[in-house]
Amino acid sequence: MTRACEASGRSPEDVTLLAVSKNHPAETVTEAVQLGVELFGENRIQEAKAKIPASPSSARWHFIGHLQSNKAREAVAWFEMIEGLDSLALAQELQKQADKASKRIRVLAEVNVAGESSKFGWNPERLLTELAPLNALGRIELCGLMTVAPYSTDPERVRPVFRRLRELRDRCADILGAPLPVLSMGMSGDLEIAIEEGATLVRVGTALFGPRPRPVREDV
Ligand SMILES: *Cc1c(COP(=O)(O)O)cnc(C)c1O
């Protein structure tokens, strides 16, 4: 990461590493914390609510998956940020649950930049039209945008996706008249390019922890 920052003339302090601990046990989180990692990502509530209490209390957690509305209450309870906010309906449910808990919840709007049918996330045009109602939800703090780029064996092919996310972020910030500082993009296979294109948060699993053990998926 430091190398990628140097190569693109960015300061390593401007890019946060989020360690994707999904499918890995709490022991792995503990070891990573000892090595200085502070921020972790999980994509399943069921798995997270067992792992988080078993992990060092200094670890901070982002939810990085698709969140079902019926899990919104738990997501608000366990996570400091929801990165996979992908609809206004989900935002309204988070608003309701955060209100009950007398909290504010930080979110990133997930954008399906490449329009892949297999992926969740806002269509870019639709996000622009739904920004105002989203921003009107007082318990929701929109901090920026997130995307999962299409898989490609040639990371250069995903560069335009990252660039479009950054441009969309700039347009959203203009519309809202507020900075949207967080751009969560880049994973193990394409983090260098994401950093060159302005990522402020990279979500890295395999490159840190090696291949993931088989998923525990009783809550699908
Ligand atoms: C699993 C996952 C990652 C990490 O992927 P790696 O290729 O293992 O780095 C990043 N982001 C999201 C949303 C994920 O689900």
Short mmCIF file of all heavy atoms in Angstrom, two decimals, residues 20 22 43 64-65 146 148 186-189 203-207 212, ligand 1:
data_model
loop_
_atom_site.label_atom_id
_atom_site.label_comp_id
_atom_site.label_asym_id
_atom_site.label_seq_id
_atom_site.Cartn_x
_atom_site.Cartn_y
_atom_site.Cartn_z
N VAL A 20 -10.30 -7.19 5.47
CA VAL A 20 -11.53 -7.96 5.30
C VAL A 20 -11.36 -9.32 5.99
O VAL A 20 -10.64 -10.19 5.52
CB VAL A 20 -11.87 -8.14 3.82
CG1 VAL A 20 -13.14 -8.98 3.65
CG2 VAL A 20 -12.06 -6.77 3.15
N LYS A 22 -13.81 -11.49 6.84
CA LYS A 22 -14.91 -12.45 6.62
C LYS A 22 -14.35 -13.86 6.44
O LYS A 22 -13.30 -14.04 5.78
CB LYS A 22 -15.75 -12.06 5.41
CG LYS A 22 -15.00 -12.08 4.10
CD LYS A 22 -15.86 -11.57 2.93
CE LYS A 22 -15.08 -11.71 1.62
NZ LYS A 22 -15.64 -10.90 0.53
N ASN A 43 -19.08 -9.11 6.06
CA ASN A 43 -20.22 -8.98 5.15
C ASN A 43 -21.43 -9.81 5.57
O ASN A 43 -22.38 -9.92 4.81
CB ASN A 43 -19.81 -9.33 3.72
CG ASN A 43 -19.45 -10.79 3.56
OD1 ASN A 43 -19.24 -11.49 4.55
ND2 ASN A 43 -19.40 -11.27 2.32
N ILE A 64 -19.56 -4.50 5.04
CA ILE A 64 -19.20 -4.28 3.62
C ILE A 64 -20.04 -5.10 2.66
O ILE A 64 -19.73 -5.18 1.47
CB ILE A 64 -17.70 -4.60 3.37
CG1 ILE A 64 -17.40 -6.06 3.73
CG2 ILE A 64 -16.79 -3.64 4.16
CD1 ILE A 64 -16.01 -6.52 3.27
N GLY A 65 -21.11 -5.72 3.16
CA GLY A 65 -21.90 -6.57 2.26
C GLY A 65 -23.25 -5.97 1.94
O GLY A 65 -23.52 -4.80 2.22
N MET A 146 -18.87 3.82 -2.36
CA MET A 146 -18.14 2.56 -2.37
C MET A 146 -18.50 1.80 -3.64
O MET A 146 -19.62 1.92 -4.13
CB MET A 146 -18.58 1.76 -1.13
CG MET A 146 -17.99 0.39 -0.98
SD MET A 146 -19.01 -0.91 -1.71
CE MET A 146 -18.62 -2.26 -0.60
N VAL A 148 -17.61 -2.18 -5.77
CA VAL A 148 -16.87 -3.42 -6.01
C VAL A 148 -16.72 -3.50 -7.52
O VAL A 148 -17.71 -3.61 -8.24
CB VAL A 148 -17.63 -4.66 -5.48
CG1 VAL A 148 -16.85 -5.93 -5.76
CG2 VAL A 148 -17.92 -4.51 -3.98
N GLY A 186 -11.16 -0.71 -4.42
CA GLY A 186 -9.90 -1.44 -4.48
C GLY A 186 -9.91 -2.59 -3.50
O GLY A 186 -10.31 -2.44 -2.34
N MET A 187 -9.52 -3.78 -4.00
CA MET A 187 -9.40 -4.98 -3.19
C MET A 187 -8.02 -5.57 -3.48
O MET A 187 -7.18 -4.92 -4.10
CB MET A 187 -10.54 -5.96 -3.53
CG MET A 187 -11.85 -5.24 -3.71
SD MET A 187 -13.40 -6.18 -3.71
CE MET A 187 -13.01 -7.79 -4.27
N SER A 188 -7.78 -6.80 -3.05
CA SER A 188 -6.43 -7.36 -3.21
C SER A 188 -5.90 -7.25 -4.64
O SER A 188 -4.74 -6.91 -4.86
CB SER A 188 -6.43 -8.84 -2.80
OG SER A 188 -6.70 -8.96 -1.43
N GLY A 189 -6.76 -7.51 -5.62
CA GLY A 189 -6.28 -7.61 -7.00
C GLY A 189 -6.10 -6.28 -7.71
O GLY A 189 -5.46 -6.21 -8.76
N ARG A 203 -10.20 -2.18 0.66
CA ARG A 203 -10.71 -3.32 1.42
C ARG A 203 -9.93 -4.56 0.99
O ARG A 203 -10.10 -5.07 -0.10
CB ARG A 203 -12.20 -3.51 1.14
CG ARG A 203 -13.05 -2.25 1.32
CD ARG A 203 -14.50 -2.52 0.93
NE ARG A 203 -14.62 -3.10 -0.40
CZ ARG A 203 -14.79 -2.42 -1.52
NH1 ARG A 203 -14.92 -1.11 -1.50
NH2 ARG A 203 -14.86 -3.04 -2.68
N VAL A 204 -9.06 -5.02 1.88
CA VAL A 204 -8.12 -6.07 1.47
C VAL A 204 -8.29 -7.31 2.34
O VAL A 204 -8.16 -7.24 3.56
CB VAL A 204 -6.67 -5.55 1.56
CG1 VAL A 204 -5.71 -6.61 1.05
CG2 VAL A 204 -6.51 -4.27 0.76
N GLY A 205 -8.58 -8.43 1.70
CA GLY A 205 -8.69 -9.70 2.41
C GLY A 205 -7.54 -10.62 2.08
O GLY A 205 -6.58 -10.78 2.83
N THR A 206 -7.62 -11.23 0.90
CA THR A 206 -6.67 -12.27 0.49
C THR A 206 -5.21 -11.83 0.57
O THR A 206 -4.36 -12.60 1.02
CB THR A 206 -7.00 -12.70 -0.96
OG1 THR A 206 -8.42 -12.91 -1.04
CG2 THR A 206 -6.29 -13.97 -1.33
N ALA A 207 -4.91 -10.61 0.16
CA ALA A 207 -3.51 -10.16 0.15
C ALA A 207 -2.94 -10.04 1.56
O ALA A 207 -1.73 -10.05 1.75
CB ALA A 207 -3.38 -8.84 -0.61
N ARG A 212 -9.27 -17.38 1.76
CA ARG A 212 -10.27 -17.49 2.83
C ARG A 212 -10.67 -18.94 3.06
O ARG A 212 -10.86 -19.68 2.11
CB ARG A 212 -11.54 -16.72 2.44
CG ARG A 212 -11.50 -15.28 2.83
CD ARG A 212 -12.78 -14.58 2.47
NE ARG A 212 -12.87 -14.26 1.05
CZ ARG A 212 -12.23 -13.26 0.46
NH1 ARG A 212 -11.44 -12.47 1.15
NH2 ARG A 212 -12.36 -13.04 -0.82
C1 LIG B 1 -14.44 -10.13 0.20
C2 LIG B 1 -14.49 -8.67 -0.09
C3 LIG B 1 -13.31 -7.91 -0.23
C4 LIG B 1 -11.91 -8.50 -0.13
O1 LIG B 1 -11.56 -9.18 -1.29
P1 LIG B 1 -10.05 -9.72 -1.49
O2 LIG B 1 -10.01 -9.98 -2.94
O3 LIG B 1 -9.92 -10.94 -0.66
O4 LIG B 1 -9.13 -8.65 -1.07
C5 LIG B 1 -13.44 -6.56 -0.46
N1 LIG B 1 -14.64 -5.97 -0.55
C6 LIG B 1 -15.80 -6.64 -0.43
C7 LIG B 1 -17.08 -5.93 -0.54
C8 LIG B 1 -15.76 -8.02 -0.20
O5 LIG B 1 -16.91 -8.69 -0.09
#
